[in-house]
Amino acid sequence: MSQSTGTRRGFLKLGAALGGTALSTPFIARNALAAEPIKVGCLLDQSGPLGLSGQPMLQATQYAVKVINDQGGLLGRPLQLVVYDTQSSMQLYTQYAQQLALKDKVAVVHGGITSASREAIRPIFDRFKTLYFYNTQYEGGVCDRDIFCTGTTPAQTVSHIVPYALKNWGKKTYIIAADYNYGHITAKWMTKYTREGGGQVLETDFFPLDVTDFSATISKIQQASPDFVLSPLVGANHLGFYRQWAAAGMKSKIPVASSVFGLSNELNSMDASVTDGIISAFGWYPTVPGAGSKSFLDGMTAMFGKGLPMLSELDSASYEGMMFWAEGVKKAGTIDRLPVIKALESGITIDGPSGKATMDPATHHVIHNAYLAKAEKAEWVIQDTYPASPPADTAAVCDLIKNPRMDKQFIVNVD
Amino acid sequence: MDLYGLVGFNILVGIGTIALITVGLGVIYGMMKIINLAHGEFMMLGAYATYVATAHGINIWIAMLIIAPVFVGLVGLVVERCLIRFLYGRMIDTMLATWGLSLGLIGLMTSIFGNDPRGVSTPVGSFSIGHYAASLYGVVIIVVAVLALVGLYAMLSMTRYGLIVRATMQNPNMAAALGVAPPTIYMATFALGAGLAGLAGGVLAPISGVSPVMGAAFIAKAFITVLGGGAAIVTGTSLASGLFGFIDTFVSFKSTPVIGEVALLLAAVVMIRILPQGITGRFLRRSL
């Protein structure tokens, strides 16, 4: 199928919809394409340091595709996943992104884990006019009409963690963050919310992803003696902090809250004596009640067996991202980029694992439920629920309806 | 005052850690002149040996102090027989071969255990210095590092095997003429170095976590310390880890771990410029 007939079909469809006869896909065109699957691209790290997060994300994506195909696919066509393993390497992200856009000509790409990888591939999909879904909780602020971000942002998570800590633990905090864009921007949000809550940030330290020895930092934290520690630390090496923190006997003295802890099976890979008491907030936990959550967990277990790690928001967001796109395609009646974007901008709501989730037209981020939970005996025990949390951080600066040509990431300013 | 105690203790732990991750490489690179880029992966194997052993209910002390070094020593033996013995005297080739080996080991362990980091729980608790708390495990690291260095020193200087090893490393042909079989000695020494790497991996497993890619975090520091130490492996390793460990921990405490790492590298660059043969290339030349 050439590009031009697709556009013409989309144009016809649009004309038909405007004419008031919605749902009318030209009969002949639909039959002609019935056999041809819709290609859906997926870029997730299956190996390397990020493979641990990427593997269940891919499984959730495969599960979502299976659910859609079991219901007869989209527009009468089945979905076909085109998956590349980016191996935790930025170079492979850019290489495979071009391949998906130019060679495979996929209808949409889901993927990217770290913010660094998202910023590496986002311009490529912009340039080659490929629709892109980023399904990871991240630091917020991406304002670009070609991308939809289905994970939570600091306004949905950090904004709940910090007040909880200020209320229950005290006013002074010490921030330890990963040394790349996610850690820096999240640390700024943490500083902002702490100050707004009347608290004080004693110190912020950044750690490259290969740091494993935190003994000097643990001494520094003790010297500063904060009431609690906020940690956007990322990756397997940084887990050493939690181990050394517990080993130094600090866990019973100064509590820790994190914006990332729990996204990589931490509660199963570390002893409960290390993880107990850590606070986090995400859009979904396996312990979230509700039918959507249960059917997602049951479906994943039925498809992949008992070998699954503890699932997290990364996986529920990957599932929801695919479902959002599917709803957009259904509503647009085509897989063409612009009609699908317009359909998604009409405020589509889906019922996902985390409950009702709505695509915010102005920011291309998702309004969804957020949860605050505490680790107890290797389980996330939900402490609080924040229904229909808006992506307020991005909404404050980004309006794609007014400025559809906007293409940048806003970064919060804290002095 | 308590704070000085705490920082002092941390500096000792930092020195102990560097000494521990370096001593195995000191044997393999410093003595045998094999650029072992798989050193970090040998440590990783030691950490996995500890993890698997403790998961099967074996006492953690036995797991990390005996099983890890013995297992990795045996792996080293096999590696030496299958790969390294063809490459003696070809330093650049050893680099390529061991780099391949390290990639292979990472891939092998990933396909067996998966990508996820595993944990080994710390066997000891914490203690307090004034009103500051520190991990007792730091004491374990210091003690093991000291024992490893003292043990290596005693073995090289006081035993017959140590004498033969030193002779073989210095002049294999002469040693052979005197009735020693250099291939056997090389094999045993490589296994010894691998075993020490395994010991380091086992001992550091509880604090760093266990994952197939963990070796990458240690390899650069180990090489810098060996180069900084120079030809005499025990004295050189001790002095260089003392210097680098002090700089790294102290600067990390005063500023951030990033600056600490920068200070360490800077110190290493300056030192290699002033002492191209390492510390023991200029001072204490006759030491071990």
Side-chain angles (χ1 to χ4, degrees), chain B residues 98-174:
Chain B
T98 53
W99 185 47
L101 177 67
S102 92
L103 295 179
L105 288 175
I106 292 174
L108 181 71
M109 296 313 270
T110 308
S111 51
I112 297 176
F113 292 97
N115 249 321
D116 42 330
R118 313 294 174 110
V120 179
S121 54
T122 319
V124 289
S126 61
F127 69 104
S128 51
I129 305 173
H131 57 278
Y132 294 111
S135 171
L136 258 183
Y137 200 69
V139 180
V140 175
I141 292 177
I142 297 171
V143 169
V144 174
V146 168
L147 287 182
L149 284 170
V150 170
L152 188 63
Y153 181 83
M155 195 203 74
L156 288 178
S157 63
M158 294 176 192
T159 65
R160 184 177 156 73
Y161 169 73
L163 185 72
I164 292 174
V165 167
R166 283 186 289 147
T168 311
M169 297 307 150
Q170 210 164 55
N171 191 337
N173 291 334
M174 185 57 78

Side-chain angles (χ1 to χ4, degrees), chain B residues 32-261:
Chain B
M32 302 178 67
K33 300 294 172 229
I34 304 289
I35 302 182
N36 182 19
L37 290 181
H39 178 70
E41 280 61 45
F42 283 168
M43 287 179 60
M44 179 266 286
L45 290 181
Y48 268 102
T50 308
Y51 165 73
V52 171
T54 51
H56 284 81
I58 294 171
N59 181 296
I60 181 158
W61 299 107
I62 295 175
M64 67 187 178
L65 297 178
I66 297 172
I67 294 179
V70 168
F71 170 71
V72 181
L74 289 174
V75 172
L77 205 70
V78 175
V79 167
E80 201 274 344
R81 280 295 91 185
C82 301
L83 186 69
I84 305 296
R85 71 181 167 118
F86 306 107
L87 301 169
Y88 288 118
R90 295 157 62 186
M91 216 178 196
I92 302 301
D93 296 353
T94 61
M95 191 162 82
L96 201 59
T98 53
W99 185 47
L101 177 67
S102 92
L103 295 179
L105 288 175
I106 292 174
L108 181 71
M109 296 313 270
T110 308
S111 51
I112 297 176
F113 292 97
N115 249 321
D116 42 330
R118 313 294 174 110
V120 179
S121 54
T122 319
V124 289
S126 61
F127 69 104
S128 51
I129 305 173
H131 57 278
Y132 294 111
S135 171
L136 258 183
Y137 200 69
V139 180
V140 175
I141 292 177
I142 297 171
V143 169
V144 174
V146 168
L147 287 182
L149 284 170
V150 170
L152 188 63
Y153 181 83
M155 195 203 74
L156 288 178
S157 63
M158 294 176 192
T159 65
R160 184 177 156 73
Y161 169 73
L163 185 72
I164 292 174
V165 167
R166 283 186 289 147
T168 311
M169 297 307 150
Q170 210 164 55
N171 191 337
N173 291 334
M174 185 57 78
L178 294 170
V180 173
T184 319
I185 298 300
Y186 277 130
M187 185 178 78
T189 313
F190 191 86
L192 172 73
L196 286 169
L199 175 72
V203 171
L204 293 179
I207 58 168
S208 70
V210 184
S211 72
V213 290
M214 65 183 282
F218 301 109
I219 182 93
K221 263 185 198 170
F223 265 103
I224 289 168
T225 313
V226 171
L227 287 172
I233 57 156
V234 178
T235 323
T237 302
S238 314
L239 289 174
S241 19
L243 180 69
F244 293 147
F246 174 80
I247 290 174
D248 190 9
T249 315
F250 186 74
V251 177
S252 294
F253 176 75
K254 279 290 168 197
S255 54
T256 70
V258 184
I259 309 288
E261 208 110 301

Side-chain angles (χ1 to χ4, degrees), chain A residues 28 30 91 113 117 131 135 139 143 205 211 213 224 262 277 302 316:
Chain A
I28 298 167
R30 192 173 57 192
Q91 189 204 332
I113 301 180
S117 66
L131 192 56
N135 305 317
E139 69 280 357
C143 189
D205 280 346
V211 169
D213 182 3
S316 71

Side-chain angles (χ1 to χ4, degrees), chain A residues 46-48 51-52 55 179 205-208 210 212 215-217 219-220 222-223 236 239-240 243-244 247-250 253 269, chain B residues 3 6 10 115-119 121-122 125-126 132-135 206-209 213 217-218 249 252-253 255-258 261:
Chain A
Q46 298 302 298
S47 48
L52 184 60
Q55 286 161 3
D179 197 5
D205 280 346
F206 295 100
F207 302 87
D210 61 352
T212 55
S215 55
T217 308
S219 312
K220 271 178 85 175
Q222 292 191 49
Q223 189 195 8
L239 292 184
R243 294 197 179 90
Q244 292 159 37
M250 292 305 298
K253 295 183 180 162
S269 66
Chain B
L3 187 66
L6 180 65
N10 276 337
N115 249 321
D116 42 330
R118 313 294 174 110
S121 54
T122 319
S126 61
Y132 294 111
S135 171
I207 58 168
S208 70
V213 290
F218 301 109
T249 315
S252 294
F253 176 75
S255 54
T256 70
V258 184
E261 208 110 301

